[in-house]
Every structure is written in C-alpha cells, then in structure tokens.
Amino acid sequence: MGGNLMRTVEWDNGVVKMIDQRLLPGTFEIAEFTGYREVARAINEMYIRGAPAIGAAAGFGMALAAYQSDATDRAALLRDLGVAADVLRQARPTAVNLFWAVDRMLCVATDENLVYVDDVRDAILADAQSLADEDVEINQRMAAHGAALVRPGESILHHCNTGALATVDYGTALGVIRMAHEQGKRIHVFVDETRPRLQGARLTAWELKQLGVDFTLIADNAAGHYMRTGQVDICFVGSDRTAANGDVANKIGTYKLAVVAKENGIPFYPVVPTSTIDLDCPTGDDIPIEERDPEEVVGLTRDGMPIAPDGIKVGNPAFDVTPAKYVTGIVTENGVAYPPFELSLKKMVLGE
Amino acid sequence: MGGNLMRTVEWDNGVVKMIDQRLLPGTFEIAEFTGYREVARAINEMYIRGAPAIGAAAGFGMALAAYQSDATDRAALLRDLGVAADVLRQARPTAVNLFWAVDRMLCVATDENLVYVDDVRDAILADAQSLADEDVEINQRMAAHGAALVRPGESILHHCNTGALATVDYGTALGVIRMAHEQGKRIHVFVDETRPRLQGARLTAWELKQLGVDFTLIADNAAGHYMRTGQVDICFVGSDRTAANGDVANKIGTYKLAVVAKENGIPFYPVVPTSTIDLDCPTGDDIPIEERDPEEVVGLTRDGMPIAPDGIKVGNPAFDVTPAKYVTGIVTENGVAYPPFELSLKKMVLGE
C-alpha cells in the first residue's frame, strides 16, 4: 500500500495478515490469522477481494494448515491438508483463483523429493510466498508497459478499483497509474466512484491518497462531461475476463465509458494479466453476466434516509461487455496488444 | 402527485407551500414559506428542483415580495421587487426558468394600467398563479406529443426526475411516461438512479410507484448494458436549457446516455417546454455548467461508514451538454421538433 504500509495479504512469522478492506476508507486495520479456518472465514466475509489476493490468501491458508497439523508422517499431513483444502475451497465457491491456489499447494505437498514432513511444510510456505510474489511481479511488468503510454501532465480516467487492494500489491490499471506517478509524470486522475459498490470512492481514492497521486473523485455520470470538454487524455480500466476477440468484461459502467471515450478520440486501455485472457471464449457474448444483490444499489443512506422506496424491482448486473471496437489496446505483462486482437492476444498469452 | 396529493409548489393564502423533496422517498412533508428570501433559500437548497417548479416558485416568491414590501407608490414597490428579483435569480444561476419567471413578474409590475400598488401586488400573484397553471397545461400537451412516439410494450429509459415533482404537476419526460401508461400501452421503465443526488432512485421511483407503472431501478452505470443488449426501446429525458441549435443542457450523465443510445440506434428525446428553449443561446457551449457541493457525491453512508476518504478533491458538475447530433427529436408542448433544430425549434417557440 503506497509502498509503505503492507501487502493486501502477507505471511509474517506464522501469522497471515490481511488489510480488512471492509473497514476502508474509514479505518485502516490489519487482521491477523493463525489458523486456516479463520483464513477461510476471512475470505468468505470479504476482508479481501480480487482474484489474485484471494488466491494468495488461500496459499497462505494452506501453509498455516501444514504448520498447524501435528502429523509426523506424510500420509497424515496429506490427510490434514485435504481437510484444509475443502474448508478453503468452500470460502468463495465462485473464485477460480481459490481452487487454483489450493490445488497448487496440494501438488507441492505430494512432491516425492521432499522426505521429511517439515520439508513439506516449508515447501508449501515457500510456494505460497512465490505465488504472492509472482502476482506483484506481473503487475509491475504490466505497469511498465502501460506507463509508457502516458505522457507527462496527462489526465487519466479510471473506473472501479484495480489497485494494490484488488491484488497482492501494486495493482493492474492502478498499477499503471502508480508507475506513471513514480516516473514523475505529474499526472492527474479522475476517479469514477463506480456505483453500485463504490469501489472507486472507497478504495481507489484511498489508495491514490496514500500514494500522493493528484486525483479528483467524480460520480460516474460526470465522466462524459470531462471527456467531452477535453479534460481527459487517456483511460485505464481493469478486466475480469477478456475474450479471444478483445471483447472485455469488466465492472458495470465500463462499456458506457469506452463508447464515450471513442466518440471523443480518447484512448481506452484495459490492463489485464494474461491469466484472465480466455482464448477459449470467442466473444464477449459468451461471458455470463452475474446479477447481484439489489441491496448493493438501494442499501445506502443519505442523511440517515433510504435512497429509494421499499419493495421495488432493481436491476444489478455486476459486469458489462465492452466490444473490442471501443478498445484502443490491451495492456498485459507481456506487452500491449493492438487490433486485430485475435492475433495479438494469442501472441501475448502463448508467445506465438 | 399521482393526481392526488398536492402540487409541487402552491400559493395558499399568503403562504408558499412546497413538498420538501429532500425528504423523499422516506417522508412526505410540506414546507411553508412567508418571505421571498426563504423561497430563494429553498430553491437554492433544493427543497424543489426542476426548471418549471423553480419558475413557479420564483413567481410566487415575487408575489410574496410584493406583499412583503411596505411601499406606498409604484417606484418604491419596483425598487423592492428589483431587490427580490436579484435575490431569487441568484438562487440557481443556471435555471433559465427562474430568470424568465422573475422577468415576467417584473413585467406585470410595470403595467401602466395598474394604478394602485395593491393592484400591482394582486396582478403579480394572479400572474404567478397563471404561470403555475400554464405549466400543468403545457406538460399535458407535451405528454400527448411524446406518448404518441411510444409503441405498446416498449421499454423506456429515463434519467433523473422529470415528473410531477420536477414541475408544478404531471411532469415533462415522466409526463410522457405517465400518459403512455394511462393510454394502456403496457410500458416498462428503466429508472437511472441518477448520481450524485439520486433523483431517479428517490423521486422518480417514488412517483412511478404511486402511478402503478412497471419499472426497474438501476445504477446509471448499468444503462449501457441494457441498451447494448437490446432491452431499451426509447429514451426520454428532461432539459434544463436547450440552445437554439438543439444542444441540450440536462442533469449530469445525460450526455453519456445520449451517446450510447445513438451508438445502439435507440431514439433519444428530450422533453422540454418551449420556455426552456433559449433562442438567444447559439450552442450548448454557451451554457455555464454549475459546480455543486462535493457533499452531494461523498455525503452518503453504507453500513454507517463513509463512502470516501476525508479531505479529497471532488468534481461535481450539476449538468452536462448533449450536442444536438445525439438528439433524435425534441418534444415540446407545440409538437416534436426534428433536425435541423435551428429551424424547427424557432417554429416551436415563435410559431414561425
């Protein structure tokens, strides 16, 4: 966080530490966990969010399970790890990274080169640590490619939260912004508040404040005004899933932003690790759109009053699809992909 | 209100009454004012909003000023009315109806056929009352022209609040929706919540619920998704001020909506009384954009917690300008104007 607080999730001498993001931006509080069941509960209760951060937490949760176990032989340790894996997997059943991280730790545990159970324990911790470090390294590579697109003095529009808090550290689109700032480019950022969950107002604004980046928080509705009046130079957003043709599924509102950016000749760049580019998904129309709890839309108060009448119908799609024709380029850790995306994305993912 | 509560603003025996819209949808409360400075403050603090309602309130404000004045000759009364006019004009500097209503009252005050100052006072009140009545009649005429554009079963996207609460009664864009509903067209409405002030969630949802219209409340960010996926047939919005070339200044977010509507081939109609068409304003670039209190953006809570960090910069433009090229047609009480708007709007306003 701002290079001076801590990572979203860390291992510290037998303790897993997480920033409790549910309390931000009001309170910065670090929660500590000494058992894997508590880690599972923290994932479930959304102390942290974002696929990479959840994956890293699960990895450290498995390491805790390994050290908690009083097994003296490998078979007993594997039994205990199997129980922990089940508990952790159930924490967020839709989080693919969670399953991937747990399986990766189980795979390490079965490495036949490890003779003693203590060696297995240490190997799991080392791999969990690698998993976290890899995320940070990928983010910094994406940031370098993205920051090269930013000219000194430019004003950047950003949607949702894609920062250190959404990852283990550094962030994706917000990592680009951080690096441009660290390169002394005197940037300014328009921060979309990002209704309904307000990740921009709650988390991105908090992160940029920590980093000392000059920014202005705006209602999502205001982004068009700033774009039309020439106050935005470039847009960076994240992407939850990118299709093989360059269609991008990202936080609701991204599509509107991309259309208006194109209309005003403003470059629009999603910043995406290649792990989220799905070459098996031909177009954005093949990406299912999750419908979320109406409370996210209506569960706010102003001056202690509800913001909507009771008992009404609410539509709350979590994501939208931005067709590739509105996307200038896609920033990955392996470089920036440009149209035609069918070719360039394949190259980024497979190195072909 | 649904034809059964009261008008948004009324004169009742020396008292100006307004529905305090800041308390809706939680509480229905009527505020009473006995001085023009209080009326100006109420306009400024947005007890009421919406161009026609503001115009009517300003008319009644001038009537209050006339009765408050202890002038015994016309020159003294005109001096007092001039002071009141200045105070009322400054309440909402972008509200063209405010200026228009104030000027109309000043014009009545200078009618040389009125000999006694008490006659002048009575004439101002009578004209303020006419102004309010005319608004309701104009809205019903607009609604008839607009409702003719709606086909049975269509889904309508609506931004902000343009209903009875935004006018003296019946509404502008929401008046069109109301009439289409009353004509039995089985419409559905997507209601943009309209950040930052949430007039859609708080007021439009409340009004549509009163009227029994089928609707779905959505975050503004979701509108693009519903448009791109073919779930929106037509858009109706209001306009605070329309330039001679058809550029439309309306609630922040309208511009984004109009661009995305055009991109998806969805007709986009502002519904505007001719009193808000400013033939002396050549283009939207000549319309000043009011910057409002940052609290409107950050002054919400979720689970009792602030939605943004303290002490940050906030951008809060109240309006944006939608260039005429995104506008399909402009619905007025005299018919629907189509491009070229320079000609058609002049015809609507002047009958030329």
Side-chain angles (χ1 to χ4, degrees), chain A residues 193 195 214 220 256 326, chain B residues 193 195 220 256 263 313:
Chain A
E193 64 173 6
R195 282 283 285 154
D214 180 33
D220 307 295
K256 255 176 148 183
Y326 303 108
Chain B
E193 63 174 5
R195 281 284 284 154
D220 308 296
K256 256 174 146 183
E263 193 73 7
K313 262 194 299 190

Side-chain angles (χ1 to χ4, degrees), chain B:
Chain B
M1 301 305 91
N4 51 21
L5 295 174
M6 69 166 270
R7 288 184 171 185
T8 299
V9 52
E10 286 183 355
W11 177 274
D12 182 11
N13 203 21
V15 176
V16 176
K17 295 184 173 179
M18 297 182 201
I19 298 172
D20 186 351
Q21 301 187 23
R22 301 169 312 168
L23 307 179
L24 290 174
T27 308
F28 181 81
E29 196 172 296
I30 293 163
E32 305 194 347
F33 305 96
T34 53
Y36 73 85
R37 286 182 189 276
E38 298 167 77
V39 169
R41 187 174 49 75
I43 292 170
N44 177 259
E45 292 177 1
M46 300 180 86
Y47 280 65
I48 55 167
R49 1 78 51 210
I54 289 172
F60 288 132
M62 288 294 284
L64 276 184
Y67 289 109
Q68 272 181 282
S69 165
D70 54 10
T72 53
D73 62 73
R74 179 194 292 261
L77 180 60
L78 283 177
R79 252 193 326 273
D80 288 346
L81 287 173
V83 171
D86 282 346
V87 169
L88 287 162
R89 282 191 195 108
Q90 285 162 29
R92 285 296 293 278
T94 49
V96 76
N97 270 51
L98 183 60
F99 291 74
W100 170 77
V102 165
D103 288 345
R104 176 166 157 173
M105 297 306 123
L106 286 177
C107 184
V108 169
T110 55
D111 180 351
E112 300 202 345
N113 295 318
L114 301 170
V115 178
Y116 302 103
V117 287
D118 274 347
D119 292 343
V120 175
R121 292 182 172 108
D122 292 348
I124 291 176
L125 173 58
D127 199 54
Q129 191 63 61
S130 295
L131 190 156
D133 292 342
E134 287 160 18
D135 176 57
V136 181
E137 189 245 323
I138 284 171
N139 291 343
Q140 289 174 331
R141 281 164 55 195
M142 282 193 293
H145 291 300
L149 302 167
V150 179
R151 282 172 294 208
E154 282 195 333
S155 201
I156 299 169
L157 186 67
H158 178 270
H159 193 65
C160 198
N161 177 260
T162 63
L165 290 169
T167 58
V168 177
D169 207 352
Y170 211 82
T172 59
L174 213 56
V176 168
I177 287 167
R178 175 172 172 176
M179 194 167 282
H181 170 70
E182 288 171 352
Q183 290 171 348
K185 286 187 171 166
R186 300 169 286 101
I187 52 167
H188 169 263
V189 182
F190 282 108
V191 176
D192 262 3
E193 63 174 5
T194 319
R195 281 284 284 154
R197 290 183 61 86
L198 296 159
Q199 293 95 333
R202 292 189 297 116
L203 306 177
T204 299
W206 185 82
E207 287 196 52
L208 291 178
K209 197 178 169 190
Q210 305 295 316
L211 293 167
V213 176
D214 180 33
F215 71 96
T216 304
L217 178 67
I218 60 172
D220 308 296
N221 277 332
H225 169 70
Y226 292 112
M227 289 198 276
R228 196 185 72 80
T229 53
Q231 299 180 66
V232 175
D233 298 300
I234 189 167
C235 304
F236 288 106
V237 300
S239 164
D240 286 74
R241 196 164 163 192
T242 300
N245 71 341
D247 289 357
V248 168
N250 190 42
K251 184 58 53 200
I252 193 75
T254 303
Y255 166 65
K256 256 174 146 183
L257 208 57
V259 171
V260 177
K262 184 168 191 192
E263 193 73 7
N264 289 284
I266 300 168
F268 187 88
Y269 290 97
V271 182
V272 316
T274 53
S275 61
T276 63
I277 299 170
D278 187 351
L279 296 179
D280 294 328
C281 177
T283 76
D285 292 333
D286 303 297
I287 300 174
I289 303 294
E290 179 186 0
E291 179 74 21
R292 292 187 56 88
D293 188 346
E295 273 302 297
E296 294 185 353
V297 177
V298 297
L300 291 170
T301 53
R302 176 192 288 280
D303 302 332
M305 289 183 292
I307 62 157
D310 282 341
I312 61 173
K313 262 194 299 190
V314 174
N316 186 18
F319 304 102
D320 58 26
V321 170
T322 300
K325 66 175 168 177
Y326 303 107
V327 174
T328 308
I330 297 176
V331 179
T332 79
E333 71 273 25
N334 297 328
V336 183
Y338 289 101
F341 290 117
E342 284 82 356
L343 297 174
S344 60
L345 286 179
K346 202 179 252 184
K347 198 170 162 193
M348 292 298 157
V349 175
L350 306 174
E352 280 173 7

Side-chain angles (χ1 to χ4, degrees), chain A residues 180-248:
Chain A
H181 169 70
E182 290 171 351
Q183 290 171 347
K185 286 187 171 166
R186 298 169 287 102
I187 53 167
H188 169 263
V189 182
F190 282 108
V191 176
D192 263 3
E193 64 173 6
T194 318
R195 282 283 285 154
R197 288 182 62 84
L198 295 160
Q199 294 94 333
R202 292 189 295 114
L203 305 177
T204 299
W206 184 83
E207 287 197 52
L208 291 178
K209 196 179 171 190
Q210 304 297 315
L211 293 167
V213 176
D214 180 33
F215 72 95
T216 304
L217 177 67
I218 60 172
D220 307 295
N221 278 332
H225 169 70
Y226 292 112
M227 289 198 275
R228 196 186 71 81
T229 53
Q231 298 180 67
V232 175
D233 299 301
I234 189 167
C235 303
F236 289 105
V237 300
S239 164
D240 286 74
R241 194 163 164 198
T242 300
N245 71 342
D247 290 355
V248 168

Side-chain angles (χ1 to χ4, degrees), chain A residues 30-203:
Chain A
I30 294 164
E32 303 194 348
F33 306 96
T34 53
Y36 71 84
R37 286 182 189 276
E38 297 167 79
V39 169
R41 186 175 47 78
I43 292 170
N44 176 260
E45 293 177 2
M46 298 180 83
Y47 280 63
I48 54 170
R49 9 95 31 215
I54 289 172
F60 289 131
M62 288 295 284
L64 275 184
Y67 288 109
Q68 272 182 283
S69 164
D70 56 9
T72 53
D73 61 73
R74 181 193 292 264
L77 180 60
L78 284 177
R79 251 194 327 271
D80 288 345
L81 286 173
V83 172
D86 282 346
V87 170
L88 285 162
R89 283 192 195 104
Q90 285 163 28
R92 285 287 296 276
T94 51
V96 171
N97 270 50
L98 182 61
F99 289 76
W100 169 77
V102 165
D103 288 345
R104 178 166 154 172
M105 299 304 123
L106 286 177
C107 184
V108 169
T110 55
D111 179 353
E112 300 202 343
N113 295 317
L114 300 169
V115 178
Y116 302 103
V117 286
D118 275 346
D119 293 342
V120 176
R121 292 182 172 111
D122 293 347
I124 290 176
L125 173 59
D127 199 54
Q129 192 66 60
S130 296
L131 189 155
D133 293 342
E134 287 158 19
D135 177 57
V136 181
E137 190 244 324
I138 284 171
N139 292 343
Q140 289 175 330
R141 281 165 56 197
M142 281 194 292
H145 291 301
L149 302 167
V150 179
R151 281 171 297 205
E154 283 195 332
S155 202
I156 300 168
L157 187 67
H158 178 270
H159 194 66
C160 199
N161 177 260
T162 63
L165 290 170
T167 59
V168 177
D169 204 354
Y170 216 83
T172 58
L174 213 56
V176 169
I177 287 167
R178 176 171 171 177
M179 193 165 284
H181 169 70
E182 290 171 351
Q183 290 171 347
K185 286 187 171 166
R186 298 169 287 102
I187 53 167
H188 169 263
V189 182
F190 282 108
V191 176
D192 263 3
E193 64 173 6
T194 318
R195 282 283 285 154
R197 288 182 62 84
L198 295 160
Q199 294 94 333
R202 292 189 295 114
L203 305 177

